[in-house]
Amino acid sequence: MLALMTAYVCPRCRVHSPVDALTWRCPRCHGPWDLEFTSAPVSLTSLGSRVNSLWRYEEALPLATETPRVTLGEGRTPLVPLTDGVSAKLDFLMPTLSFKDRGAVMLAELARRLSPRRVLADSSGNAGTAIAAYCARAGLDCVVYVPEGTSAKKLEQIRAHGARLTVVPGDREATARAARAAADEPGTFYASHVYNPHFLHGTKTYVYELWEDLGGRLPDTIVVPVGNGTLLLGAALAVEELYGHGLVDTRPALVAVQAEAVSPLAAAFHAGADEILAPATVRPTLAEGIAIPNPPRAGQILRAVRATGGTFLTVTEDQLHTAQVDLARRGLFVESTGVACWAAVRAAPGREGLTVLPLCGAGAKTGLSPSSTCRA
């Protein structure tokens, strides 16, 4: 079974590692892995009779060689119009109420096959919740590192799935450092949504679903929130696969959104840089889920946006609050990080053709943001 798995490869050093070695990053440059995997074209006409989860796109997914597979029925979230020319994909309707289920199911399936002593994840909340839920489904021991100040509702959700919590003093970066130190312990599978590329191959199903929903085409513009870039890089993977297999005629522009308070990628993009200029100062923001000062895949994110003719947009704290309230008045209660794209589209309207954005996390996880929070 393990022989059927693909290998990890470092995009910088070209160092390879077998997937079953539990090596979570490149041993030479300490950067994140990519995956040596070649997708096959998905037949649009065959999808009507397939399983109603992201595994329906099995030709495009690693780990699709064996059944049954870990699943909670994730994916296939609704695509609904917001205004003329703008639609939202309701990824907050996933089993754990965030888009992170798309990647978590892939990591849990991989861990199930590798049978580690424990699975370890670090998160500001949503990724940890998703990993905890899918590990519970797979019968895997799981520990989740979270920063102090994580939403009590998210902590409750992680505990409910049976995962053990380690609360780390400090911010999200301190939590990541603590988890990475523990990830090298023998028998540990580091279910990192940043370093493990299987997560990106899960998030790319977001675009495959758009392609299916739109009858074999893609929107003109896809707007996504970016912190560590897992959804954007997954979207870029899917766009290149669909275009490369001749299943779409054009590539949509990928537009990335960051909070103005913590926006190292936007600054680098508009400066024409290939990497971030310097780690950002972490300032308080309602969009805490994308407040990443030094994303490990920064260069890949910048290249992906430029390759599609896209751009970076930033949003203020007032715009985030207003967007959350506006969506709630439209019947969609979304957490404050998850409204970033709608905030950006409201502030910069006028794109031609169809624009699609994700609503990534449920408002029930964090509540409604106060309008005065985080104003500088």
Side-chain angles (χ1 to χ4, degrees), residues 339-370:
V339 306
C341 293
W342 180 232
V345 168
R346 280 166 50 89
R351 289 188 172 273
E352 295 184 0
L354 175 62
T355 294
V356 172
L357 55 90
L359 301 179
C360 293
K365 286 173 171 277
T366 56
L368 188 66
S369 62

Side-chain angles (χ1 to χ4, degrees), residues 256-293:
V257 178
Q258 295 206 287
E260 186 178 273
V262 185
S263 52
L265 290 161
F269 181 88
H270 292 298
D274 295 329
E275 294 282 349
I276 63 171
L277 304 174
T281 299
V282 178
R283 293 188 287 158
T285 175
L286 296 172
E288 60 182 6
I290 54 173
I292 307 298

Side-chain angles (χ1 to χ4, degrees), residues 207 218 222 234-244 248 251-252 254 308:
V207 169
L218 289 175
I222 299 175
L237 273 173
V239 168
E240 290 307 309
E241 289 173 358
L242 289 165
Y243 185 81
V248 294
R251 299 178 178 91
L254 295 179
T308 66

Side-chain angles (χ1 to χ4, degrees), residues 176-196:
R177 288 193 297 270
R180 291 165 193 166
D184 289 324
E185 294 179 12
T188 298
F189 175 83
Y190 184 28
S192 171
H193 57 291
V194 180
Y195 281 81
N196 194 306

